[in-house]
Amino acid sequence: MTLNSSPQPETPSVPTPGPNNDSPDMNTANKSGVVPKLRPTDEQPPTTALGQFAKLFQNSRNEPGVPNPDQAPKIEAQDLCFFYGEKQALFNVTIKVPPRSVTAFIGPSGCGKSTFLRTLNRMNDIIEGTRLAGKALFDGQDIYAPNVDVVQLRKKVGMVFQKSTPFPKSIFDNVAYGPMIAGQRNRRVLGEIVETCLKRAALWNEVKDRLAESALALSGGQQQRLCIARSLATNPDVLLMDEPASALDPASTARIEDLIFELKQNYTIVIVTHNMQQAARVSDFTAFFFEGRLIEIGETQTLFTRPKEKKTEDYITGRFG
Amino acid sequence: MSVTPDSLTTSPASQSNSLVRRFSLTAFKEAIIKGLLFGCAFLSIFTTIAIIWVLLTNTLSFFEDVSLAEFLGDTRWTPQFEGEQKHFGIWPLITGTFLVAIIAASIGLPLGLLSAIYLSEYASPKMRNIAKPILEILAGIPTVVFGYFALVFVTPFVLRPILQTMLGFEVGIYNALSAGIVVGIMIVPTVCSLSEDALRVVPNGLREAAYALGSTKLDVSVRVVVPAALSGIIASFLLAFSRAVGETMAVTIAAGQQPVLNINPLQSVETMTAFIVNISLGDTPAGSIEYKSLYAVAFTLFALTLTMNIISQWVMRRYREEYQ
Ligand SMILES: Nc1ncnc2c1ncn2[C@@H]1O[C@H](COP(=O)(O)OP(=O)(O)OP(=O)(O)O)[C@@H](O)[C@H]1O
Ligand SMILES: [Mg+2]
């Protein structure tokens, strides 16, 4: 089976917003509908809660390079619903992710961000008793079609987890794992792949003299970058990252964010994060999930400074979640 | 004894704030129970020490008559002979023991590991609930049954038709191979349950990470989970091997009593345990040198299995640390 990119004939526009938000049972404060003013702070420009984000974008590096959303989407979901047994975790999620962009998923804990991310490389298949309705497409191909080779799909759609998961093997063998199970036996080729991927993951200089040592001896931040390098080694198109920096110190987090910015040149990245600043810093598009629904998606700057939905605003200004 | 609200409010102990301990029935009972428990623990430690002491003193007295050089240097084991013909070289017993144990290991270890991988990685919870009790039953079959199974079934109905009738090798009625086969089956539950424990504690995140890199189930099991659990698996192998070395009834029945330096698995051998059984059951007079040789053999066996157990414990401890 093939999962090669096939150009899409139609040209979808900006990522389509999810179903409109009209669920009545939002138990947040402020039912008046008036955009609330926060207590004025010492800093001058931010007069509203959203102002804090406006500042973030003043020297944002994202601005000039916002990917063209008119391209054929790399990943697309259509009316995707997901069930853990009887419990429905996702409700009619419709989304388009353009290639070579960074899309951030935000939303309160338990809203289904990880679940949705995991539907995109079929990681949820491993969990027994789960069920999916609707469609998920990779390069226009239905990834849940019966003839899809899941192993091949997962090579094209890599994943980095919240907790770094280095295999108890050497640094070299960790990165070489993907190519090795794909049948690559040539040590020289493997060595080149390992070097390229470690360089891309900004880890090469730190580990180039100790490739034979156990990966478990690396620091948390190094382990996470190793896991990113390991994902890159299967030569994916898409990198799904589930809170990749949440267990890391600020310095390591900054390195991972730099890395995401670098990787954007070649990969489509979807990142789940609880950190609004992080979403604002690294992403081109941001999607806000709430209770299993996609509430709003848009260009990150727009979403953070002029959210369309009240719930989005409440969430990003920290009023709940 | 019922506690009424009355007794609670009127008893002086509950009213006073003094922390000084008083004599009470509860404290007395506690002391007795503590003493009993200590006694039980002490009894088993004492028994162990006593056994080692008996082994050691008798072994030392054996070595007053037989030199250590002969014991470790001679290749003949003939304690039942007279005069010049009497030899106490331990090697025939050691080779007999290890011949059976190695055959057992080459059958039991792979079988046990594969079933552990199946149970931990492949079996549905329902299948696991059926398979595990069956393995426990296997562990509960008396070893003497395995011995007779080897003697009356494996040798005449499996080994002889195949190896003797078809391939032309002579198969003794007592032989190391049949004993090794049944001991191999006996150690499967040990290997399986210990290895399965080791496989199951491998964090699920590792499996998910491997799947996310495009692994098949076989890749995940063989290239990630098994290497991650390797020290636990090795420990289970060592433990099972030392069980095979110490196994007594089945080998006494199936492998026979031929203490000759022989590595032909189709012929009868004598293991250390089988020799001990023989001397214990026979009419060897207590205090005679043959009788004392029993202790020397038992001590050798004890030293061998103890070493293997210590190594496996050490390996197991190391591997626990890896994931904590
Ligand atoms: N394996 C599972 N079995 C059953 N229910 C699950 C499972 N995993 C997640 N859920 C449920 O699905 C819902 C969505 O969970 P999910 O992990 O996707 O949330 P999340 O947005 O990633 O949250 P967080 O930010 O805390 O990671 C939750 O209500 C959760 O309880
Ligand atoms: Mg999550």
Side-chain angles (χ1 to χ4, degrees):
Chain A
M1 95 123 258
T2 56
L3 270 168
N4 297 328
S5 342
S6 50
Q8 286 277 93
E10 95 251 48
T11 34
S13 53
V14 193
T16 31
N20 247 16
N21 143 38
D22 44 20
S23 92
D25 53 6
M26 284 272 299
N27 47 1
T28 49
N30 198 319
K31 299 221 152 87
S32 57
V34 183
V35 176
K37 293 257 195 300
L38 272 197
R39 276 177 286 112
T41 51
D42 299 339
E43 295 163 57
Q44 267 320 304
T47 45
T48 67
L50 291 170
Q52 57 174 316
F53 292 106
K55 233 178 59 180
L56 268 175
F57 293 107
Q58 277 164 14
N59 45 9
S60 162
R61 51 190 176 182
N62 284 346
E63 249 181 307
V66 169
N68 176 10
D70 293 338
Q71 285 168 288
K74 193 79 196 168
I75 290 181
E76 192 177 350
Q78 295 168 355
D79 268 326
L80 191 134
C81 301
F82 189 83
F83 303 82
Y84 289 107
E86 291 299 299
K87 185 175 175 293
Q88 185 164 2
L90 292 175
F91 299 82
N92 302 84
V93 175
T94 298
I95 194 172
K96 284 179 184 167
V97 177
R100 288 163 211 267
S101 65
V102 178
T103 304
F105 289 176
I106 59 170
S109 189
C111 68
K113 305 178 295 293
S114 300
T115 303
F116 181 60
L117 202 69
R118 291 166 57 98
T119 60
L120 299 179
N121 66 346
R122 293 187 57 169
M123 283 304 282
N124 285 327
D125 289 17
I126 303 168
I127 304 170
E128 255 166 67
T130 58
R131 190 162 62 80
L132 177 133
K135 265 196 172 152
L137 308 177
F138 170 81
D139 276 336
Q141 303 168 70
D142 184 354
I143 64 174
Y144 284 88
N147 62 350
V148 165
D149 181 352
V150 184
V151 166
Q152 210 54 37
L153 169 75
R154 291 190 186 133
K155 283 182 183 150
K156 288 284 148 207
V157 185
M159 188 160 210
V160 175
F161 299 85
Q162 173 174 14
K163 208 169 156 283
S164 61
T165 50
F167 299 137
K169 301 172 186 282
S170 71
I171 293 170
F172 185 98
D173 285 346
N174 262 275
V175 183
Y177 177 87
M180 251 152 75
I181 58 167
Q184 181 58 258
R185 290 280 176 279
N186 187 326
R187 286 301 279 192
R188 201 180 50 77
V189 177
L190 287 175
E192 277 164 17
I193 295 174
V194 168
E195 180 172 346
T196 319
C197 295
L198 284 172
K199 278 181 176 158
R200 283 205 169 162
L203 189 61
W204 176 252
N205 287 331
E206 288 155 72
V207 302
K208 62 170 183 268
D209 300 322
R210 44 194 282 215
L211 292 176
E213 280 174 37
S214 167
L216 300 176
L218 296 173
S219 77
Q222 289 173 329
Q223 288 189 358
Q224 194 63 302
R225 274 178 281 147
L226 179 73
C227 291
I228 294 173
R230 190 175 62 183
S231 302
L232 298 182
T234 65
N235 196 18
D237 284 359
V238 177
L239 214 48
L240 308 173
M241 302 179 139
D242 197 346
E243 304 182 45
S246 67
L248 302 181
D249 65 302
S252 305
T253 304
R255 300 210 62 164
I256 303 260
E257 286 179 11
D258 288 345
L259 180 57
I260 290 170
F261 196 74
E262 292 291 317
L263 295 174
K264 194 174 86 173
Q265 319 299 325
N266 300 303
Y267 303 91
T268 306
I269 295 174
V270 182
I271 175 173
V272 171
T273 177
H274 276 281
N275 180 332
M276 296 309 129
Q277 271 74 24
Q278 184 171 68
R281 278 193 304 263
V282 302
S283 69
D284 304 306
F285 303 101
T286 298
F288 171 59
F289 285 82
F290 184 73
E291 290 180 346
R293 290 168 212 276
L294 176 66
I295 304 296
E296 181 173 352
I297 177 166
E299 282 186 20
T300 298
Q301 184 164 1
T302 318
L303 189 125
F304 275 101
T305 50
R306 298 185 301 279
K308 292 197 198 74
E309 303 293 334
K310 175 89 185 31
K311 270 182 220 163
T312 314
E313 180 176 342
D314 285 349
Y315 181 70
I316 62 181
T317 56
R319 219 149 302 149
F320 73 90
Chain B
M1 199 179 80
S2 70
V3 180
T4 64
D6 195 46
S7 77
L8 276 176
T9 47
T10 53
S11 109
S14 67
Q15 273 175 359
S16 115
N17 275 335
S18 162
L19 294 175
V20 178
R21 197 170 352 115
R22 297 154 204 276
F23 176 84
S24 72
L25 198 61
T26 329
F28 182 65
K29 277 203 290 199
E30 288 274 326
I32 288 188
I33 288 169
K34 192 176 159 194
L36 275 174
L37 291 177
F38 175 78
C40 293
F42 180 77
L43 197 67
S44 64
I45 294 171
F46 175 79
T47 319
T48 313
I49 292 173
I51 289 174
I52 294 174
W53 189 76
V54 169
L55 269 182
L56 208 60
T57 50
N58 282 289
T59 305
L60 287 177
S61 106
F62 169 79
F63 282 119
E64 279 165 15
D65 300 330
V66 177
S67 72
L68 191 63
E70 181 185 348
F71 190 67
L72 295 178
D74 204 322
T75 56
R76 286 159 296 178
W77 182 261
T78 51
Q80 70 280 24
F81 290 178
E82 290 303 323
E84 282 297 293
Q85 296 297 308
K86 223 179 179 71
H87 289 284
F88 290 99
I90 187 74
W91 288 109
L93 297 186
I94 290 188
T95 52
T97 304
F98 278 87
L99 183 60
V100 172
I102 286 169
I103 294 169
S106 55
I107 292 167
L109 304 189
L111 219 56
L113 178 60
L114 289 177
S115 33
I117 293 174
Y118 172 74
L119 285 181
S120 150
E121 306 299 311
Y122 284 83
S124 65
K126 211 165 117 195
M127 192 59 220
R128 197 177 303 142
N129 287 342
I130 299 171
K132 288 203 89 171
I134 293 178
L135 274 173
E136 270 148 35
I137 292 173
L138 194 60
I141 296 175
T143 60
V144 64
V145 176
F146 278 101
Y148 272 101
F149 179 69
L151 190 64
V152 305
F153 179 78
V154 177
T155 299
F157 294 112
V158 180
L159 297 183
R160 281 198 159 156
I162 296 175
L163 294 173
Q164 190 161 305
T165 315
M166 283 167 61
L167 300 174
F169 297 106
E170 194 193 327
V171 180
I173 181 68
Y174 297 108
N175 60 73
L177 185 57
S178 66
I181 290 172
V182 293
V183 174
I185 296 169
M186 271 166 56
I187 61 174
V188 165
T190 312
V191 180
C192 180
S193 79
L194 289 176
S195 297
E196 200 218 342
D197 290 346
L199 294 172
R200 297 257 300 245
V201 299
V202 172
N204 233 347
L206 282 190
R207 292 189 182 86
E208 291 212 334
Y211 278 121
L213 291 167
S215 305
T216 62
K217 195 155 203 158
L218 188 68
D219 291 328
V220 175
S221 310
V222 175
R223 289 171 190 261
V224 175
V225 181
V226 167
L230 197 60
S231 28
I233 293 169
I234 290 173
S236 84
F237 281 7
L238 286 171
L239 223 59
F241 191 73
S242 86
R243 241 204 93 186
V245 166
E247 168 48 35
T248 307
M249 261 345 267
V251 294
T252 309
I253 293 169
Q257 283 91 35
Q258 288 285 318
V260 286
L261 200 59
N262 158 39
I263 52 163
N264 177 358
L266 303 182
Q267 294 305 313
S268 171
V269 295
E270 184 165 51
T271 65
M272 293 190 258
T273 49
F275 171 74
I276 294 169
V277 171
N278 268 343
I279 295 290
S280 315
L281 295 181
D283 43 14
T284 319
S288 70
I289 178 141
E290 297 91 320
Y291 186 79
K292 281 191 240 164
S293 74
L294 179 157
Y295 288 99
V297 172
F299 189 79
T300 312
L301 182 62
F302 171 75
L304 282 172
T305 49
L306 184 71
T307 313
M308 283 187 280
N309 283 357
I310 289 173
I311 295 174
S312 82
Q313 296 252 329
W314 177 78
V315 172
M316 208 123 69
R317 240 197 334 271
R318 266 201 43 186
Y319 116 95
R320 279 212 195 92
E321 282 160 9
E322 264 168 44
Y323 283 111
Q324 277 168 8

